[in-house]
Amino acid sequence: MSSLTPAASVLGLALVLSPIADVQAAELQILAGGAMTGPLRELGAQFERASGHKLVFRFGTTPELIKLATTGGPFDLGVVPREVLKDAAARARFAAGPTTDIARVGLGVAVRSGAPKPDVGTSEALKQTLLKAQSIATIPASAAGAQVFRVFDSLGISEAMKAKTKVQTGPAQIVEAVAKGEAELGVFLINVLTAPGLDVVGPFPAELQQEVVFTASVAVNTKEGEAAKAFITYLTTSAAAAVIKAKGMEPFLRSPSP
């Protein structure tokens, strides 16, 4: 549940929407990282009710988002891992200039609900837990998955973990694989692992921790620039930050709201 009250939501949205009060309702096509599904669904519904705009989300992994940005047809804005914008072709589809960081989240480990929780409190403990595991579920073809494998590499266990990895296609599939016992450990962004059917063991130790940062930008060819900017602005208010935090992520707060 979000700690955001209806009054705070309305006041926060009123502040954001007042400059575009006379703008005709738009349909915004939004590219977004899969790990942002929870907060964006909730915040999007609030924005729709207050603004009259309709939001259509297309969630995906980093490679999927790059493909959508470059070949997937028109879109109006993105809330995507920074890694998406490191691809030159994808970056060219977004407006030039700074982007707006929205949220960040680190890596963690989870087991099936009720299963014993292994030790992940130190680098050596995490290494031994991973080596002893029969299998892990993660998404190698994602920004977070790439970070997971960088940690494996730093621990010197990359080859051993490749044989244990059950490759998943999206965050929901990680949860399902671990909850059903198809994989012993879920190793991914900790907010994704905070889900029914799973028990979070803990975050990666501080010395190994990696974070994915989700950043927002308007599309270079959007015809709904004002509405797109308004949604990005709302994502940086304290009202939105409460939702983001409740969903297990750390918000970047810029815009004040009552």
Side-chain angles (χ1 to χ4, degrees):
M1 291 293 290
S2 166
S3 59
L4 183 63
T5 66
S9 174
V10 170
L11 288 168
L13 277 165
L15 180 72
V16 171
L17 296 173
S18 56
I20 61 166
D22 296 327
V23 176
Q24 187 174 1
E27 179 175 283
L28 295 178
Q29 299 286 331
I30 303 173
L31 306 184
M36 288 290 294
T37 300
L40 287 181
R41 290 286 191 205
E42 184 169 334
L43 293 169
Q46 293 173 2
F47 188 82
E48 285 181 331
R49 288 193 296 269
S51 68
H53 299 309
K54 178 177 174 58
L55 308 185
V56 179
F57 291 102
R58 285 184 279 173
F59 294 100
T61 62
T62 294
E64 290 168 344
L65 292 167
I66 291 170
K67 186 175 181 179
L68 284 170
T70 54
T71 64
F75 66 98
D76 299 293
L77 72 143
V79 186
V80 299
R82 282 179 179 170
E83 286 76 5
V84 171
L85 301 182
K86 292 178 182 178
D87 180 272
R91 185 68 183 90
R93 297 296 306 278
F94 292 90
T99 60
T100 303
D101 290 339
I102 303 299
R104 57 188 172 87
V105 63
L107 301 172
V109 178
V111 295
R112 185 178 185 179
S113 288
K117 293 183 178 181
D119 185 3
V120 297
T122 66
S123 297
E124 184 59 28
L126 176 62
K127 177 179 179 178
Q128 294 305 318
T129 288
L130 292 167
L131 289 173
K132 290 174 185 175
Q134 293 297 308
S135 57
I136 69 161
T138 193
I139 310 172
S142 68
Q147 291 183 337
V148 167
F149 275 88
R150 280 198 289 272
V151 172
F152 293 168
D153 188 55
S154 72
L155 291 173
I157 60 173
S158 292
E159 288 305 314
M161 296 314 299
K162 284 178 183 176
K164 297 172 182 280
T165 299
K166 291 184 176 293
V167 175
Q168 306 300 314
T169 57
Q173 285 69 40
I174 293 177
V175 174
E176 183 178 6
V178 178
K180 289 184 174 181
E182 295 168 357
E184 185 176 341
L185 302 178
V187 185
F188 202 64
L189 298 175
I190 201 160
N191 69 310
V192 169
L193 302 176
T194 306
L198 272 60
D199 288 339
V200 173
V201 177
F204 277 25
E207 63 271 20
L208 294 175
Q209 187 58 273
Q210 306 276 313
E211 288 186 327
V212 173
V213 174
F214 294 87
T215 194
S217 181
V218 175
V220 69
N221 292 324
T222 181
K223 296 178 180 179
E224 306 293 352
E226 291 305 310
K229 290 174 185 175
F231 184 58
I232 292 173
T233 298
Y234 179 56
L235 293 179
T236 66
T237 61
S238 57
V243 173
I244 291 168
K245 198 167 185 67
K247 298 294 184 181
M249 308 179 85
E250 286 299 318
F252 289 85
L253 182 60
R254 286 181 186 79
S255 300
S257 63

